[in-house]
Amino acid sequence: MLAQHDAPIIAIATAPGRGAVGIVRVSGKNLGPLVQALCGRTLKPREATYLPLPDEADAPIDHVLALHFPGPNSYTGEDVLELQAHGGPVVLQLIVARCLVVAATLSENNKPLLGGLRLAQPGEFTQRAFLNHKLDLAQAEAVADLIDASTEAAARGASRSLAGAFSNEIHQLRDALIHLRMLVEATLDFPEEDIDFLKQADAQGQLTRLQQNLARVMAQTKQGALLREGIRVVIAGQPNAGKSSLLNALAGAELAIVTPIAGTTRDVVQQTIQIEGVPLHVVDTAGLREHPDVDEVERIGIARAWDQIGQADAVLFLHDLTRKADAAYAAADVQIEQTLHNKLDPHVPVLHLWNKADAHSVAATAPNQDSQALATHLTLSAKTGDGLPALRQQLLNVVGWQGGSAEGMFMARERHVQALHEVDAHLMQANASLQAKAPALDLLAEELRLGQNALNTITGEFTSDDLLGVIFSSFCIGK
């Protein structure tokens, strides 16, 4: 749940541990008395002042750079005080403790200098920036995304979202939707104006253009969500097909143990890599088999493998080219493929990888390929690296990555994708109502209203407190 946002807050705003510089940040209304008592002087707005910060015995805790940002010209929209000190955790904790003591000191009118000053909760500074209209919700989320970015492309995309690129797209859609709502509701308010009024105003054309622009933004948002969320790729197949070798080859490190012994991999091994800036969470799993030699530990590993496969965004089904002529091996592969078909969502792509091309005596080609299978069947060697570039590119293709430069890309979240799908559904219903022989204008108006509400949840203009609590609780303390 959201914290009470009218009390002043304080936190260490730099990462835990030692560093050259550490920052303590205070935000609240009317910090002037606290600034005077702490620093022994007033501070010029937005100008760094070097001074000693004394303790209760008037001995300096540290020499700090103090900056005062009077609201609303600050990050949170409130008064903000930042104290930049040496980055030792003990020093910063002493500064926080000193601020709390000074804030509770009684003034001449027998009231605390800054009543109610408390430690900030995770994300509370950015939450206040949102509540004070310094950022919309999509921009606030981009702050956390920029901090958490694991690739250069993700960082650039988050920076664009923070600058308002994504929000501007949503605002343009909303403005067009509001204009269309105005036409429809004006017709409802003045029944003497018949459907010809909407035709003259080109309501159908406006709705069509709105749907086209929405489709474009949905495509961009999906790309942004891929940048943030990445792709969960699970490697599956029979024992000794080369799954662990493939993970090691993709990661460029010896992460998983590789031996000729069946059942070597007993548990899940995961590594995050990046391809063209898109994070790929690659998961190696235990070999899938039904055999009397399978012990209890391996059986648990196989069960966990199927659990991971069920959570995959894409599955790499690894086959062993050197055993393709073995009838028992081929039959087991067919059984695994059938189970994959039954367990996986139809939208989850499965790439068939024919491994060990380096050890195959015949020309290394995947069996039974046709023109359609070429997109989902690849031949490679995890040992030599042959075929890995094609695999990386195909992985991006099957999940919808459009490639190219990250320039112009903005960061987005899965909730944004879902909200836009909801808008799309409402606009489709609105279009059906408008094209009916006897258009139901009240239903049309309602679908447009619901579409606008769904858009507003993205920027936070219509968002429940519960959702805000979930979003900001994922931030780091001090941000």
Side-chain angles (χ1 to χ4, degrees):
M1 294 296 291
L2 289 175
Q4 182 183 3
H5 59 266
D6 55 355
I9 54 175
I10 184 172
I12 298 172
T14 41
R18 294 177 179 147
V21 177
I23 298 175
V24 173
R25 176 182 287 168
V26 185
S27 180
K29 298 175 182 177
N30 191 22
L31 297 187
L34 177 69
V35 171
Q36 178 70 43
L38 270 175
C39 302
R41 69 183 77 175
T42 58
L43 300 176
K44 291 186 67 173
R46 294 172 295 282
E47 184 174 299
T49 303
Y50 182 68
L51 49 81
L53 192 73
D55 61 13
E56 294 181 9
D58 209 31
I61 299 172
D62 194 5
H63 283 71
V64 303
L65 282 177
L67 296 101
H68 183 209
F69 302 89
N73 300 316
S74 69
Y75 179 72
T76 63
E78 303 172 327
D79 283 4
V80 171
L81 172 67
E82 285 194 359
L83 301 171
Q84 300 181 11
H86 291 92
V90 174
V91 172
L92 298 177
Q93 290 291 351
L94 287 173
I95 292 175
V96 170
R98 179 60 180 158
C99 289
L100 290 169
V101 169
V102 172
T105 302
L106 298 180
S107 62
E108 294 179 356
N109 58 7
N110 211 31
K111 291 183 179 180
L113 287 177
L114 190 63
L117 180 64
R118 59 171 174 79
L119 296 176
Q121 296 182 9
E124 196 168 358
F125 287 93
T126 304
Q127 174 190 309
R128 292 190 178 199
F130 164 70
L131 294 173
N132 292 325
H133 309 293
K134 303 295 288 187
L135 302 169
D136 66 30
L137 190 55
Q139 290 175 298
E141 289 171 306
V143 173
D145 293 338
L146 184 58
I147 293 170
D148 294 337
S150 58
T151 68
E152 180 183 349
R156 290 184 181 277
S159 181
R160 284 184 54 78
S161 288
L162 179 56
F166 181 40
S167 300
N168 289 340
E169 295 282 4
I170 299 304
H171 290 153
Q172 288 178 26
L173 290 174
R174 186 198 62 189
D175 291 346
L177 202 158
I178 289 174
H179 187 265
L180 185 55
R181 280 189 66 192
M182 177 187 68
L183 292 175
V184 175
E185 294 186 11
T187 307
L188 286 171
D189 290 340
F190 300 97
E192 64 274 9
E193 300 283 356
D194 57 20
I195 193 63
D196 288 337
F197 174 73
L198 291 181
K199 290 181 179 179
Q200 292 170 3
D202 192 25
Q204 180 63 67
Q206 290 189 42
L207 180 55
T208 299
R209 287 189 292 274
L210 179 56
Q211 289 180 294
Q212 291 171 345
N213 288 333
L214 175 63
R216 176 183 54 79
V217 174
M218 288 174 68
Q220 289 179 291
T221 305
K222 183 179 179 182
Q223 300 297 295
L226 283 175
L227 270 182
R228 181 184 187 274
E229 310 290 347
I231 308 162
R232 188 172 184 82
V233 179
V234 176
I235 307 173
Q238 295 188 58
N240 284 346
K243 298 183 298 299
S244 297
S245 297
L246 179 59
L247 172 65
N248 292 343
L250 288 171
E254 297 296 320
L255 302 174
I257 299 172
V258 177
T259 76
I261 303 171
T264 297
T265 302
R266 299 296 187 97
D267 207 349
V268 172
V269 181
Q270 178 173 322
Q271 177 68 16
T272 298
I273 64 174
Q274 61 167 297
I275 303 175
E276 293 187 15
V278 179
L280 263 69
H281 313 293
V282 186
V283 182
D284 178 26
T285 59
L288 305 174
R289 64 170 176 167
E290 294 182 6
H291 194 277
D293 292 341
V294 174
D295 58 28
E296 183 61 24
V297 175
E298 187 178 353
R299 188 173 293 108
I300 293 172
I302 293 172
R304 289 183 178 180
W306 282 113
D307 287 342
Q308 292 294 325
I309 290 169
Q311 301 171 36
D313 297 314
V315 174
L316 304 182
F317 185 7
L318 209 59
H319 307 273
D320 186 345
L321 266 177
T322 65
R323 289 185 280 173
K324 72 172 187 176
D326 185 328
Y329 181 84
D333 262 4
V334 170
Q335 184 176 359
I336 293 172
E337 184 171 6
Q338 184 60 47
T339 308
L340 286 172
H341 178 76
N342 295 335
K343 284 182 174 288
L344 286 176
D345 184 286
H347 296 98
V348 175
V350 177
L351 292 181
H352 294 264
L353 308 181
W354 299 87
N355 190 28
K356 304 186 183 179
D358 59 293
H360 193 223
S361 57
V362 185
T365 56
N368 300 323
Q369 285 196 38
D370 54 30
S371 58
Q372 284 189 327
L374 287 173
T376 56
H377 288 71
L378 298 171
T379 302
L380 55 84
S381 169
K383 182 177 180 180
T384 66
D386 289 343
L388 290 184
L391 169 59
R392 292 187 179 98
Q393 190 57 53
Q394 191 59 22
L395 269 173
L396 295 180
N397 293 341
V398 297
V399 297
W401 179 250
Q402 295 175 358
S405 169
E407 191 69 29
M409 190 77 65
F410 51 72
M411 187 70 81
R413 296 188 173 205
E414 185 59 31
R415 80 169 191 90
H416 304 150
V417 176
Q418 296 302 321
L420 290 175
H421 278 296
E422 185 179 343
V423 177
D424 186 47
H426 288 304
L427 292 188
M428 289 177 65
Q429 290 294 327
N431 192 44
S433 297
L434 186 58
Q435 291 186 345
K437 290 184 178 180
L441 297 185
D442 52 346
L443 295 179
L444 171 59
E446 178 63 9
E447 293 295 344
L448 294 176
R449 184 188 70 82
L450 293 173
Q452 182 184 342
N453 285 349
L455 278 178
N456 286 342
T457 63
I458 294 175
T459 53
E461 292 161 84
F462 176 78
T463 306
S464 70
D465 282 356
D466 287 342
L467 177 58
L468 293 180
V470 170
I471 289 172
F472 287 108
S473 67
S474 66
F475 281 52
C476 55
I477 294 175
K479 199 62 180 177

